[in-house]
């Protein structure tokens, strides 16, 4: 089960990273969709999505503003 979650987590990270590279979030605000929206898009739990987003934050690609959401660096 953990391996399945790990692969789903990796897939979400990779997909979001590809979307960033394609300029999908190159808006004025540079805001990513909410964790809830992403969990619906990826058909995953919010915890799995949050873990993926935190991994991208560790890599310095995005950052989080408390109660505001996730943004591109």
């Amino acid at each position: 089960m953990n391996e399945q979650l790990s692969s789903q987590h990796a897939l979400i990270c990779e997909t979001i990273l590809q979307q960033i590279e394609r300029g999908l979030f190159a808006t004025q605000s540079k805001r990513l969709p909410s964790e809830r929206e992403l969990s619906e898009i990826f058909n995953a739990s919010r915890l799995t999505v949050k873990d993926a987003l935190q991994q991208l934050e560790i890599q310095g690609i995005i950052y989080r503003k408390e109660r505001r959401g996730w943004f591109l660096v």
Side-chain angles (χ1 to χ4, degrees), residues 4-18:
Q4 181 182 7
L5 289 177
S6 176
S7 64
Q8 186 177 27
H9 167 269
L11 177 64
I12 292 170
C13 276
E14 184 62 31
T15 303
I16 292 173
L17 187 57
Q18 288 172 356

Side-chain angles (χ1 to χ4, degrees), residues 5-40:
L5 289 177
S6 176
S7 64
Q8 186 177 27
H9 167 269
L11 177 64
I12 292 170
C13 276
E14 184 62 31
T15 303
I16 292 173
L17 187 57
Q18 288 172 356
Q19 291 174 345
I20 289 169
E21 290 172 349
R22 290 183 188 141
L24 186 62
F25 305 115
T27 63
Q28 183 72 18
S29 68
K30 297 184 179 183
R31 186 175 184 276
L32 276 67
S34 70
E35 291 175 12
R36 177 176 287 153
E37 291 170 321
L38 290 171
S39 68
E40 290 174 6

Side-chain angles (χ1 to χ4, degrees), residues 17 20 52-64 70-73:
L17 187 57
I20 289 169
L53 293 170
Q54 288 174 332
Q55 183 62 39
L56 293 171
E57 182 179 35
I58 290 168
Q59 295 175 27
I61 297 167
I62 62 175
Y63 66 97
R64 181 173 182 243
W70 293 91
F71 297 83
L72 296 179
V73 171

